[in-house]
């Protein structure tokens, strides 16, 4: 009988060998379980453990977008951002690694770099002494700034060095090269990132752009893993905002109004220059304008743009609207005759003029040329109360210009049912109504432009990072009065300079039309009553074919109001504007409508 190996003659397996087989079986089972588990984790990853571990190794660094520029109509930079980085270090992590791995792009291999070599290379890149840098990298601080305001190209070199614990944080520095020139219009940033005032505030979303991100893997030792995930989402820089302002004329106008305010110890002053043909604002000049590089150097009340935020009673500049309404409604004409008493009493209300006179025979042109309240009430009384209100609304009173600046004033224009016995007449000469300087300029622009009102424009276009320029569309123009009425009103305004009492607005070689205004300024403490005056002058030139409007406003100038004039300032600024744009001198004969009826 044959003998089977591993069995006794009785056919039984020895106990030792039986135990061995059982042990091998158990080991194989365990290996199958472990292998299956590894397959589930690494192959199928049912529980997402591999993904979780991968995500734990990922580190993200934000890449700030470069904020767009603010430029004037000629491309002069008013606000610019410079992208810079702070180089930072985790001293603990840096000190724990005597060597680190770095991918060598030239050899396509991973090199082992000593800490000392890394510090030497980093010091060379930063232009620092190696010993001093090593001192800064050594310690127990988790965050320490090694270098500030590093340019982007240098930051990229430093990150490529891969020195343990060394990283960067992007910062954006805002710079305002022209200082206070258009400072209130441009605005400034809060904490160096968010628009706080002016265009910086209203256009913040477009200017700031979209931040990018750099994502890479780090190992358990805190070091970046070579030849691993390295994803870059580039930042999208902000768009540039191009304004209609001419910074040279803005500077000139700011100097002119600041000089006038200083001379007359006024609270503040404003000058607006507008292109009649386009509605473009060439200058929005304020006194005590802030320097956006240091806005805290001026009081908070001076950091805005009073040309659009300050609403006040306009005074006699409003008489233009009364004359235009009466002419358009067929109630009067420039040479219409009015018999004007020394004082006028109507509906129990008495009205007088700023100068003493007897009973006079005046034309409508003469009423405006000498800014007579009495005559204006007589003319405006030919219009119903609803007509008076409707014409003020038609000329944009009570409607904010919406040019893209914060806190634009709507002004106050009560409805006719709210007018008392006196206010129904005072609105005819600019009292009992309030408006901003820009609202007044907009009304005059419609007369200068043949009766067609254009939307005032401050933002001309947006320029994308790729250089594509998108014009900002203006609102549809609207016809306020007919061409014939507009021409007749322009003749009245020109006659106020040639024959009336606004002769100091005249400019050699150019025909000019203008109107002055004076009103009482309400008390600043909010109590009832008035404290001082608001003095203004608004005019256009050349009257052959009007091209520009300039308005000058002074708040609470000191001295007798009858001796204060904005004529020299108006003349200086308008002359500079006409020269700057090479406007040809007038060739036509100046209009000289008679002021009196003989």
């Amino acid at each position: 009988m044959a003998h089977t190996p591993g069995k006794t003659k009785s056919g039984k397996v020895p106990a030792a060998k039986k135990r061995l087989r059982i042990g091998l079986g158990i080991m194989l089972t365990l290996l199958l379980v472990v292998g299956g588990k590894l397959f589930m984790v690494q192959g199928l990853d049912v529980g997402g453990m591999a993904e979780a571990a991968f995500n734990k190794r990922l580190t993200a660094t934000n890449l700030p977008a470069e904020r767009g520029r603010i430029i004037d109509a000629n491309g002069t930079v008013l606000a610019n951002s410079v992208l810079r980085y702070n180089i930072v270090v985790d001293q603990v992590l840096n000190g724990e690694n005597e060597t680190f791995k770095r991918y060598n792009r030239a050899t396509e291999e991973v090199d082992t770099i000593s800490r000392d070599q890394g510090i030497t290379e980093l010091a060379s890149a930063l232009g620092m002494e190696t010993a001093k840098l090593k001192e800064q990298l050594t310690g127990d601080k988790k965050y320490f700034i090694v270098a500030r305001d590093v340019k982007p190209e240098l930051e990229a070199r430093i990150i490529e060095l891969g020195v343990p614990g060394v990283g960067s944080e992007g910062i954006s520095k805002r710079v305002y090269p022209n200082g206070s020139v258009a400072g209130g219009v441009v605005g400034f940033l809060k904490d160096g990132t968010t628009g706080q005032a002016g265009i910086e505030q209203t256009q913040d979303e477009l200017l700031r752009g979209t931040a990018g991100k750099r994502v890479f893997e780090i190992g358990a030792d805190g070091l970046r893993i070579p030849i691993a995930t390295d994803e870059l989402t580039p930042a999208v820089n902000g768009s540039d905002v191009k304004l209609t302002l001419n910074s040279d004329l803005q500077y000139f106008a700011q100097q002119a109004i600041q000089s006038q305010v200083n001379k007359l110890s006024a609270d503040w002053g404003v000058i607006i220059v507008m292109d009649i043909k386009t509605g473009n604002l060439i200058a929005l000049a304020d006194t005590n304008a802030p320097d956006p590089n240091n806005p805290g150097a001026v009081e908070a009340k001076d950091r805005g743009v009073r040309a659009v935020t300050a609403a006040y009673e306009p005074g006699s500049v409003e008489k233009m609207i009364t004359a235009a309404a009466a002419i358009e409604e067929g109630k009067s004409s420039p040479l219409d005759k009015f018999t004007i008493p020394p004082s006028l009493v109507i509906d129990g209300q008495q009205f007088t003029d700023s100068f003493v006179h007897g009973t006079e025979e005046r034309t409508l042109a003469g009423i405006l040329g000498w800014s007579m309240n009495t005559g204006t009430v007589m003319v405006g009384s030919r219009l119903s109360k609803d007509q008076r209100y409707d014409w003020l609304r038609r000329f944009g009173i009570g409607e904010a210009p919406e040019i893209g600046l914060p806190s634009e004033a709507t002004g106050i224009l009560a409805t006719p049912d709210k007018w008392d016995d006196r206010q129904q007449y005072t609105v005819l000469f600019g009292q009992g109504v309030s408006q901003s300087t820009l609202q007044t300029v907009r009304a005059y622009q419609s007369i200068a432009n043949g009766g067609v009102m254009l939307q005032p424009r401050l933002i001309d276009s947006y320029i994308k990072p790729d250089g594509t320029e998108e014009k900002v569309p203006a609102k549809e123009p609207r016809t306020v009065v007919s061409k014939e009425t507009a021409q007749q009103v322009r003749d009245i305004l020109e006659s106020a300079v040639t024959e009336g009492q606004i002769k100091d607005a005249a400019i050699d070689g150019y025909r000019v039309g203008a109107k002055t205004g004076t009103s009482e300024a309400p008390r600043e403490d909010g109590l009832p009553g008035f404290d001082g005056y608001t003095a203004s002058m608004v005019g256009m030139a050349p009257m052959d074919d009007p091209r520009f409007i300039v308005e000058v406003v002074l708040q609470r100038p000191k001295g007798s109001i009858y001796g204060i004039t904005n004529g020299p300032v108006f003349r200086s600024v308008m002359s500079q504007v006409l020269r700057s744009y090479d406007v040809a001198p007038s060739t036509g004969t100046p209009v000289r409508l008679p002021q009196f009826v003989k």
Side-chain angles (χ1 to χ4, degrees), residues 483-564:
K483 289 183 179 180
E484 293 75 21
T485 294
Q487 182 61 61
Q488 291 180 70
V489 176
R490 290 202 300 271
D491 289 346
I492 290 174
L493 295 174
E494 185 173 4
S495 297
V497 177
T498 57
E499 299 293 309
Q501 62 176 180
I502 316 180
K503 292 182 174 58
D504 59 355
I507 300 174
D508 289 343
Y510 293 93
R511 292 168 53 192
V512 177
K515 185 72 191 76
T516 55
T518 304
S519 63
E520 292 182 300
R523 291 168 58 113
E524 285 190 299
D525 56 16
L527 295 175
F530 297 90
D531 177 21
Y533 296 88
T534 305
S536 58
M537 175 181 285
V538 56
M540 59 190 72
M543 299 306 284
D544 321 59
D545 183 17
R547 177 73 191 280
F548 294 103
I549 287 176
V550 171
E551 180 165 16
V552 182
V553 178
L554 282 182
Q555 181 74 333
R556 296 190 181 87
K558 302 301 185 291
S560 171
I561 192 61
Y562 302 109
I564 291 173

Side-chain angles (χ1 to χ4, degrees), residues 91-104:
Q91 294 176 336
V92 176
L93 183 58
N94 180 265
E96 288 177 348
N97 295 273
E98 289 303 321
T99 62
F100 61 96
K101 303 294 185 181
R102 184 168 68 200
Y103 178 65
N104 189 322

Side-chain angles (χ1 to χ4, degrees), residues 10-148:
S10 62
K12 294 181 180 180
V13 177
K17 291 186 176 181
K18 186 175 182 179
R19 288 193 298 271
L20 178 61
R21 290 181 179 180
I22 293 172
L24 288 172
I26 292 172
M27 289 179 65
L28 287 172
T29 302
L30 289 173
L31 285 172
L32 286 171
V33 171
V34 172
K37 184 65 175 178
L38 285 172
F39 175 74
M40 293 291 288
V41 171
Q42 296 183 352
L44 301 181
D45 194 21
V46 175
M49 295 177 65
E51 182 180 356
F54 173 73
N55 289 335
K56 189 175 181 180
R57 294 195 302 272
L58 291 181
T59 295
T61 301
N62 287 330
L63 303 176
E66 186 172 331
R67 192 174 181 87
R69 303 176 303 163
I70 300 174
I71 60 178
D72 81 345
N74 299 316
T76 300
V77 177
L78 302 174
N80 191 26
S81 282
V82 181
L83 184 59
R84 294 291 184 264
Y85 291 88
N86 288 339
I87 304 302
V88 298
V89 65
D90 178 340
Q91 294 176 336
V92 176
L93 183 58
N94 180 265
E96 288 177 348
N97 295 273
E98 289 303 321
T99 62
F100 61 96
K101 303 294 185 181
R102 184 168 68 200
Y103 178 65
N104 189 322
R105 297 184 185 278
T107 63
E108 297 185 351
E109 294 180 354
V110 176
D111 297 335
T112 299
I113 309 296
S114 70
R115 177 174 182 256
D116 286 345
Q117 180 184 340
I119 293 175
T120 299
E121 292 172 342
L122 180 60
S124 175
L126 290 172
M128 296 176 62
E129 294 181 3
T130 302
K132 183 177 181 181
L133 177 59
K134 187 172 185 178
E135 181 181 339
Q136 292 186 355
L137 299 184
T138 305
D140 56 5
K141 294 179 181 178
K142 300 291 291 181
Y143 175 86
F144 183 81
I145 297 178
V146 176
R148 298 178 185 273

